Amino acid sequence: AQSVTQLGSHVSVSEGALVLLRCNYSSSVPPYLFWYVQYPNQGLQLLLKYTTGATLVKGINGFEAEFKKSETSFHLTKPSAHMSDAAEYFCAVSSNSGYSTLTFGKGTMLLVSP
Amino acid sequence: NAGVTQTPKFQVLKTGQSMTLQCAQDMNHEYMSWYRQDPGMGLRLIHYSVGAGITDQGEVPNGYNVSRSTTEDFPLRLLSAAPSQTSVYFCASRRQETQYFGPGTRLLVL
């Protein structure tokens, strides 16, 4: 069984401030971890993913995330928020066992103020 | 490459009506899936398919049917729509570990 918890349904930051979106996971096997972004009235776009290897992964639009096995976390960060980052962000987990399904967190809405 | 396409973009149904949400992909992916998205609930898996002729249930399968006769197409059927099925529906196909999502279908059941 696998699950994802995203802390905070809404996060507000000022433009230029650090963005930190929290994600904790539960998985009985080594996880694959993902962050997706959804802009209003659009589908989901992959930001970044962790499968194996380097635990710090870089994605599009200046985002990065670090896989911390000991903390079962995969937090998403960006050093400086931009107005265009306002969107909903979803953390998700699967595994490398065959056709493992993808389990999503409930999402975090990022609000960016000028 | 069109990627994953979904039709229609928006649909209004009356309770008890039936309809089929279409999903197609041109990437030759074996694995396809359907999710529904509801406010505060994230995305929940309805059904998935690991190849033509093979389907399985996800987390919330009740009220939905699927079939997979070709690699390209994975339609989702609502046999008797209920207001609880008002949602945004996303189809996805998968290559290796990464899923690629369609633009979604907004369904309103009155």
Side-chain angles (χ1 to χ4, degrees):
Chain A
Q2 55 196 25
S3 66
V4 174
T5 302
Q6 290 184 241
L7 298 177
S9 59
H10 292 79
V11 170
S12 295
V13 300
S14 299
E15 192 172 21
L18 171 71
V19 175
L20 171 61
L21 304 183
R22 299 178 187 275
C23 171
N24 289 89
Y25 70 91
S26 172
S27 177
S28 56
V29 296
Y32 287 170
L33 295 159
F34 306 82
W35 276 100
Y36 283 86
V37 60
Q38 185 181 33
Y39 299 102
N41 298 314
Q42 294 189 25
L44 277 75
Q45 179 182 4
L46 181 66
L47 265 182
L48 49 78
K49 64 182 178 184
Y50 168 79
T51 53
T52 58
T55 56
L56 181 64
V57 293
K58 297 185 184 297
I60 61 173
N61 301 338
F63 284 93
E64 62 183 35
E66 186 171 11
F67 169 59
K68 292 187 176 181
K69 183 178 179 180
S70 62
E71 299 178 6
T72 60
S73 68
F74 191 57
H75 302 329
L76 182 70
T77 61
K78 182 174 180 178
S80 177
H82 192 272
M83 296 294 290
S84 61
D85 294 327
E88 190 159 23
Y89 293 80
F90 293 94
C91 182
V93 63
S94 70
S95 77
N96 63 354
S97 58
Y99 285 103
S100 171
T101 58
L102 188 63
T103 300
F104 284 86
K106 296 186 188 306
T108 297
M109 184 68 70
L110 178 64
L111 307 170
V112 183
S113 57
Chain B
N1 259 355
V4 179
T5 58
Q6 293 183 238
T7 56
K9 290 185 178 181
F10 182 72
Q11 183 72 46
V12 179
L13 289 179
K14 294 180 179 179
T15 296
Q17 287 185 316
S18 63
M19 81 161 294
T20 299
L21 281 65
Q22 301 292 345
C23 175
Q25 52 95 7
D26 61 358
M27 297 174 282
N28 202 33
H29 293 167
E30 293 293 330
Y31 187 106
M32 296 184 72
S33 51
W34 276 102
Y35 295 85
R36 60 177 289 172
Q37 181 181 24
D38 302 291
M41 300 293 291
L43 279 80
R44 293 179 292 170
L45 182 64
I46 305 172
H47 286 285
Y48 65 99
S49 169
V50 300
I54 306 170
T55 63
D56 205 348
Q57 297 181 352
E59 180 185 355
V60 288
N62 292 339
Y64 307 96
N65 284 344
V66 293
S67 60
R68 184 93 180 272
S69 56
T70 67
T71 299
E72 293 78 20
D73 301 300
F74 190 41
L76 179 71
R77 297 182 184 85
L78 285 70
L79 297 180
S80 179
S84 61
Q85 294 179 303
T86 293
S87 188
V88 182
Y89 292 85
F90 289 100
C91 178
S93 72
R94 180 174 129 173
R95 176 180 177 275
Q96 297 181 344
E97 71 281 345
T98 302
Q99 297 214 23
Y100 301 89
F101 286 83
T105 294
R106 289 184 175 273
L107 177 66
L108 174 62
V109 182
L110 301 175

